[in-house]
Every structure is written in C-alpha cells, then in structure tokens.
C-alpha cells in the first residue's frame, strides 16, 4: 500500500511541476491514500534545497496525556463514488487549472477587449491617411443665375463628373499623441487578460476545494451514520433496567440528524460540482469527482518567509498594477495632446470639383447647354488648408487641459488604492494560510481523539459495572451519542481546515501576481520563488494524468 501511494505521489508531483501554466516547481500536490495523513512539501524552498519527491511524515506536538498513536494512522473514512448520485466526471487539480486558462468565458471576454484595443490603436496610427471617395456627380441648372461680376441672367446647363476624391481632416496633435495613448490602453488590456487568468484560476481552485471539502464531509457524515446505526442497535438491546426507553428515542433522533447531514453533504457536493463545471464549461449535470483524496494538502508558498518580503513581490508582479500604470501613462499622453493642440494646426484636404465641395476632386468631366454633354476631359480640383483653432478664445482649450489633468489624478489615486488593496490581500492571505495550517494540525489531533473516543464508547456500550448493589453501564447511551456528535464535528473541522488552507495558499499565490507574471516573461525572482523558463511559460501547456 505504501509503495503504491508513494508512486502516486511521485507521479502527481511530476505533473504539477510541469503544470500550472508552465511554472516549474510552483506547486506540490501530495496524494494520500485511505488511512494516511498528508504531509505538505513546500514548493517555494530556496533553490539550493531541492523539493523532495516523497511523503515525509511529521509528528504533531501533542499535549501530555493525549494519544501518541502515529500520525500516519489518522482515521479517515472512505469517500463514496460519484456514481451513487449521478454521472461521474473524474478530474485532477492540474487538469482543472489548465482548463481555467482556456475554457472560461471571462478570459475570452478579456481577450476580445485586447483585440478591440488593438483595433483602436490601428485606427489612431492611420489618422494621417485620407479617406478616398469614388463615384459620379450630375449637376443640372435651369433659370436665373448670377455670374462672378454680379450680373443675373437666365440659362440652362448640365454637367457630369465621374472620378474620385480625397477627404482628410485631422489635428496633428491627435496624429502624434492618439497612438501613444492607444498603445498604453492595449498594454492595459493585455495585463487585464493576465488578471482574468489569475482570477479564474483562483475561482477554479476555490470551487475545486469546495468539492473536496464536501466529499470529505460526506465521508465523515456516512461514517457517523454507521456509528449512529450501531448505537441504536445496541441501545435497543439494553435491558430495561439499565437504560430508560427514551434513550432509544434519543438514539434514533440522533441517527436522523446524522442522516440529514449526509443529505446536506451530498447537496454541497452537487452544488460545488455545478459551480466548478460552470467555470470550466463542462457538462453541468455530471458530478465532478476529483482523483485526489479530499485530505490532499497544497503548499505553494513558504509561510516562513516574512510577509514584509512578500509585499514588494506582489507590488512588482501583480498584473492589475501593470494595467493601472498603463492607464496613468495614457492620461499623461492625453494631457500633452490637449496642451499643444492650440499650437499645432489641423490639416484639411478635400475635393472641390463638385458643389458642395468635399466630395469628388478628380476624374472625367464634361457638360454643356441644356442637355448637351460634350467636351469631356480630365479635371482635378483640391482644397488644402492648415487651421489653428482656439476653442472659445482659448478658454475651451484650457478647460479641456484641466479635465485631462483631473483624469490623470484619478488614475494615480486609483493606482495608490490598488497598491493598498494588493498589500492588504497579501497580508490577509498569508495570515489565513498560516492560521489554517495551524488549524489543520489541531484538527488532526481532535479528529484522532474523537474517533478513538467514539470507537471505544460504542465498543463498550454494553459493558456494565457494579456501584454498591446497583448495576450501571460503563458508557451511557447519551455519552455515546455525544461522542458521535463530537466525531461529526471533528470531521467537519478537519476537512474545512484542509480546504481553507488550500484556498489560502492559492489566494496568496494569486496575491503575489503569479502565474500571470511568469507567463509574460522570465525574470530573476527572489530566492523563495521558483525560476521560470521563458519557453515553458510561453507554451502554457499542462500535462494530465494518464
């Protein structure tokens, strides 16, 4: 059993080192078989200390007087299969995280926003290019008309032009600064894609661990139901003089409560499964069944690293900051754009071969008196103007500059607020991961003691002893029921602590700006973060279990 489990552990470690969007050595997943307690291995150990590819059991510190049973014998019930409630959809954590980068709609929306921003940049770069109009123009006049010297006379005439003409109106300041601003918007949208990937990864991880927590709670609930059944059976067999009849009612009532907890756990599993299927765009009616056992623990960040060392990492690598910094740069370009607008002319180019002007400029032109069409030949008529504009005697330009400056200050303030939020997220996630890890250790002790108490209480339920001339039970039925209740609570505490610790590690991982930063480029990371290969990060591929 131990050799089989160790093989599974090694295989999953290899998968996870190659996975998570191509980040080498960024996640260690310890799969634990039934009856064995997990031992997390840090993936953020210094580079000089390679990650061990084996389960290293550790002994929790136990208060005096408590059981010294080895940690490897932590009693954990078997998790029921998903086929009992619906169609099973087996999946593992690397596969779920891989699908988080290619399937969710939020990532697709963010990608399309990049496409829209790139299209706007392309338009901004083409501002100095004219529009081209192609067509024909027929003009007819009958009646009085005034000539250039002011004489009014009567005539009938017609003309026809077929050709083309340019049309171009732009401010030189727009042609210079609009592409600069649009380029910053593109960079912001690209960072938003990485933000969406990180957020989606966190959502998928939360949903995945919600499924795992529900599975663990279900296993615990089923175990307590079986113990409650045994308690009811033994209570029914007690002599009337040893236990009153209401003890049977009490036992059956507790068994009903335990059965309700099973239904609640099944409900949580199905609800969490539907949420995970929604995020990954899988079959919503199937029941997601993780391959890893529910007691699997994930440790991404070395919690011994001071949080003061982690905050600068987050402030450097978070894609949200990259996005907001690009917005700030875009507002600075717009300020310069408006400041020089009155000093730089606008360019106006249009054809005037037709009336009104602004249409065709060049082509084949002919005409004559009445309906006569003759003397066709080439014609070219253009207007080219340079115009300096002072809006509202310059006051309008000044107001626009002040508006752009206010927009810049808003962007800067938003950047400061985002920095504060990111620093708070790192501190919160670090504290949650650290405390949840401590809770796991305490929950393991509590679960071991609760299981031992419940097992011994049920086993000794029919034992009696004399007190004077009276024969009494060693373990009264209500004491047995109390031990079952304590065991049910211990199961919930344990699996909740495991899920909370795993979630907290992923929240801290996301709070530091990974894996989005590692997908963008390879850098020299701090000693407690793994180095990243540019080639691997660019592919974004992830293997799945065979």
């Amino acid at each position: 059993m131990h050799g089989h489990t160790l093989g599974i552990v090694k295989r999953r470690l290899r998968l996870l080192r190659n996975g998570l969007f191509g980040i080498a050595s960024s996640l260690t997943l310890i799969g634990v078989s039934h009856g064995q307690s997990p031992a997390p291995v840090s993936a953020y150990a210094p580079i000089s200390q390679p990650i061990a590819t084996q389960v290293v059991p550790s002994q929790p510190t136990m208060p005096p007087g408590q059981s010294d049973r080895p940690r490897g014998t932590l009693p954990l019930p078997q998790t029921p299969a998903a086929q009992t409630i619906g169609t099973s959809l087996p999946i593992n954590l690397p596969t779920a995280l891989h699908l988080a980068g290619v399937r969710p709609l939020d990532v697709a929306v963010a990608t399309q926003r990049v496409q829209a921003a790139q299209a706007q940049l392309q338009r901004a770069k083409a501002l100095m290019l004219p529009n081209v109009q192609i067509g024909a123009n027929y003009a007819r006049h009958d009646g009085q008309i005034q000539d250039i010297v002011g004489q009014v006379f009567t005539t009938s005439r017609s003309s026809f032009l077929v050709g083309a003409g340019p049309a171009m109106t732009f401010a030189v300041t727009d042609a210079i600064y609009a592409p600069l601003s649009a380029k910053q918007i593109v960079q912001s949208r690209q960072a938003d894609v990485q933000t969406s990937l990180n957020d989606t990864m966190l959502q998928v991880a939360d949903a995945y661990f919600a499924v795992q927590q529900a599975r663990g709670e279900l296993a615990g609930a089923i175990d307590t139901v079986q113990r409650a059944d045994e308690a009811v059976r033994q209570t029914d067999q007690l002599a009337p003089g040893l236990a009153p009849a209401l003890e049977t009612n009490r036992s059956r009532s507790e068994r009903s409560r335990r059965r309700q907890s099973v239904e609640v756990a099944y409900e949580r599993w199905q609800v969490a499964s539907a949420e995970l299927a929604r995020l990954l765009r899988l079959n919503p009616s199937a029941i997601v069944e993780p391959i890893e056992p529910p007691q699997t623990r994930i440790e991404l960040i070395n919690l011994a690293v001071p949080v003061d060392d982690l905050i600068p990492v987050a402030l450097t690598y978070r894609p949200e900051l990259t996005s907001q910094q690009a917005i700030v740069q875009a507002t600075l370009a717009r300020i310069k754009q408006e400041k020089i607008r009155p000093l730089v002319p606008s360019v106006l180019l249009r054809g005037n071969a037709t009336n009104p002007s602004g249409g065709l400029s060049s082509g084949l032109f002919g005409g004559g008196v009445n309906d006569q069409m003759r003397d066709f030949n080439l014609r070219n008529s253009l207007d080219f103007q340079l115009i300096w504009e002072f809006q509202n005697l310059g006051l309008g330009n000044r107001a626009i500059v002040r508006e752009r400056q206010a927009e810049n200050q808003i962007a800067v303030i938003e950047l400061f607020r985002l920095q504060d939020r990111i620093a708070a997220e790192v501190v919160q996630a670090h504290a949650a991961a650290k405390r949840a890890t401590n809770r796991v250790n305490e929950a393991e002790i509590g679960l071991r003691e609760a299981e031992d108490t419940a097992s011994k209480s049920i086993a000794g339920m029919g034992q009696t002893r004399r007190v004077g001339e009276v024969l009494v039970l060693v373990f009264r039925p209500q004491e047995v029921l109390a031990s079952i209740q304590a065991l049910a609570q211990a199961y919930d505490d344990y699996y909740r602590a495991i899920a909370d610790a795993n979630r907290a590690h992923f929240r801290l991982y996301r709070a530091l700006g990974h894996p989005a930063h590692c997908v963008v480029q390879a850098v020299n990371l701090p000693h407690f973060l793994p180095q990243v290969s540019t080639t691997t990060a660019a592919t974004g591929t992830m293997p799945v279990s065979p």
Side-chain angles (χ1 to χ4, degrees):
M1 173 64 76
H2 182 270
H4 175 69
T5 302
L6 185 58
I8 295 176
V9 171
K10 290 182 177 180
R11 183 167 62 254
R12 290 176 180 168
L13 281 169
R14 287 195 298 269
L15 290 174
L16 287 169
R17 284 198 184 96
N18 296 327
L20 280 178
F21 305 102
I23 300 178
S25 302
S26 65
L27 177 63
T28 299
L29 176 63
I30 304 298
V32 183
S33 63
H34 172 64
Q36 188 172 26
S37 176
V41 179
S42 175
Y44 276 10
I47 300 301
S48 59
Q49 300 177 7
I51 301 174
T53 57
Q54 59 181 351
V55 177
V56 182
S58 59
Q59 297 292 338
T61 302
M62 305 187 67
Q66 292 195 3
S67 173
D68 58 354
R69 178 163 37 178
R71 178 175 174 172
T73 59
L74 181 67
L76 294 175
Q78 185 69 34
T79 305
Q83 287 89 344
T84 58
I85 53 176
T87 303
S88 175
L89 181 61
I91 193 172
N92 60 7
L93 183 57
T95 303
L97 295 177
H98 172 63
L99 294 177
V102 297
R103 298 294 295 274
L105 297 178
D106 291 343
V107 178
V109 170
T111 303
Q112 291 306 311
R113 286 175 179 160
V114 172
Q115 298 296 325
Q118 290 175 339
Q120 293 173 358
L121 174 59
Q122 188 175 12
R123 287 184 58 190
K125 290 180 177 179
L127 278 177
M128 291 187 292
L129 300 179
N131 300 328
V132 177
Q133 303 175 9
I134 301 176
N137 181 78
Y138 173 77
R140 173 72 188 228
H141 172 78
D142 294 300
Q144 290 187 325
I145 191 172
Q146 188 178 28
D147 62 15
I148 193 171
V149 297
Q151 298 289 337
V152 178
F153 59 96
T154 301
T155 185
S156 294
R157 68 177 186 180
S158 58
S159 63
F160 180 79
L161 171 67
V162 58
M168 180 173 62
T169 302
F170 71 92
V172 175
T173 181
D174 293 339
I176 296 174
Y177 288 102
L180 298 180
S181 176
K183 185 177 180 180
Q184 295 297 328
I185 297 301
V186 170
Q187 294 180 358
S188 175
R189 295 294 180 262
Q190 289 173 340
D192 290 342
V193 173
Q194 304 304 322
T195 300
S196 179
L197 285 170
N198 277 9
D199 292 344
T200 302
M201 183 197 72
L202 180 59
Q203 293 174 11
V204 169
D206 282 345
Y208 193 89
F209 295 130
V211 171
Q212 289 286 60
Q213 179 180 346
R215 293 175 67 224
E217 292 175 349
L218 174 61
I222 292 176
D223 181 64
T224 56
V225 166
Q226 295 173 350
R227 295 174 188 266
D229 288 338
E230 180 63 19
V232 170
R233 186 186 67 81
Q234 293 198 30
T235 303
D236 289 340
Q237 295 178 355
L238 291 176
L242 293 177
L246 62 87
E247 292 296 344
T248 301
N249 297 334
R250 195 199 310 271
S251 299
R252 290 175 179 173
S253 175
E254 181 60 29
R255 181 177 61 181
S256 178
R257 291 185 58 193
R258 295 302 105 211
R259 288 175 176 175
Q260 291 180 56
S261 67
V262 171
E263 296 301 322
V264 171
Y266 271 123
E267 175 188 345
R268 290 176 180 172
W269 186 0
Q270 290 178 283
V271 171
S273 173
E275 176 64 12
L276 182 58
R278 180 190 70 83
L279 291 172
L280 301 180
R281 304 190 68 194
L282 302 174
N283 181 7
S285 61
I287 305 300
V288 176
E289 186 175 12
I291 297 176
E292 306 89 0
Q295 66 269 24
T296 300
R297 291 178 59 183
I298 307 297
E299 187 171 305
L300 295 173
I301 308 296
N302 183 4
L303 299 181
V305 177
V307 70
D308 290 336
D309 293 341
L310 296 177
I311 291 177
V313 176
L315 295 179
T316 303
Y317 298 150
R318 280 290 287 267
E320 295 94 324
L321 289 175
T322 302
S323 175
Q324 190 61 30
Q325 289 166 356
I327 295 295
V328 172
Q329 293 299 319
T331 59
L332 290 174
R334 290 167 185 162
I335 291 176
K336 296 179 181 179
Q337 178 180 353
E338 297 303 329
K339 280 185 175 181
I340 71 170
R341 185 179 295 278
L343 308 178
V344 181
S346 297
V347 176
L348 176 62
L349 177 65
R350 61 186 178 182
N352 66 353
T354 61
N355 189 18
S357 62
L360 305 178
S361 65
S362 306
L364 188 64
F365 178 81
V369 178
N370 296 324
D371 293 330
Q372 297 179 9
M373 292 289 177
R374 63 177 185 270
D375 300 327
F376 279 92
N377 208 336
L378 296 179
R379 174 179 177 174
N380 182 46
S381 299
L382 286 171
D383 279 341
F384 180 80
Q385 299 176 348
L386 295 178
I387 301 175
W388 281 261
E389 181 181 15
F390 298 89
Q391 299 179 13
N392 307 113
L393 299 178
L395 297 179
N397 297 103
R398 178 58 182 167
I400 294 177
V401 170
R402 294 178 61 185
E403 181 182 355
R404 296 293 182 262
Q405 289 174 338
E407 292 174 351
N408 172 256
Q409 289 300 311
I410 292 174
V412 171
I413 294 172
E414 289 291 343
L415 179 61
F416 291 155
R417 182 162 62 179
L418 184 59
Q419 289 175 341
D420 294 342
R421 180 171 65 83
I422 288 174
E425 287 178 354
V426 172
V427 175
Q428 293 167 355
H430 186 272
K434 198 168 186 178
R435 298 305 171 186
T437 300
N438 294 340
R439 284 168 47 206
V440 170
N441 297 332
E442 291 298 326
E444 289 178 355
I445 297 174
L447 178 56
R448 182 181 293 106
E449 300 302 330
E451 192 278 336
D452 187 59
T453 301
S455 297
K456 291 179 179 179
S457 298
I458 295 176
M461 192 172 179
Q463 298 176 5
T464 59
R465 60 186 175 89
R466 285 191 177 276
V467 179
E469 298 297 327
V470 181
L471 190 65
V472 298
L473 293 172
V474 175
F475 294 100
R476 294 177 297 174
Q478 58 265 41
E479 293 174 341
V480 175
L481 297 182
S483 69
I484 294 175
Q485 293 171 354
L487 178 60
Q489 186 63 50
Y491 278 132
D492 291 346
D493 293 343
Y494 176 72
Y495 288 111
R496 185 184 303 110
I498 290 285
D500 289 347
N502 292 341
R503 293 189 189 101
H505 270 279
F506 268 88
R507 289 193 180 100
L508 182 56
Y509 186 68
R510 179 254 184 191
L512 294 178
H514 297 272
H517 169 77
C518 297
V519 172
V520 175
Q521 60 181 349
V523 297
N524 292 324
L525 300 177
H527 69 277
F528 49 83
L529 298 180
Q531 298 297 321
V532 181
S533 167
T534 305
T535 303
T536 304
T539 59
T541 59
M542 176 181 295
V544 297
S545 295

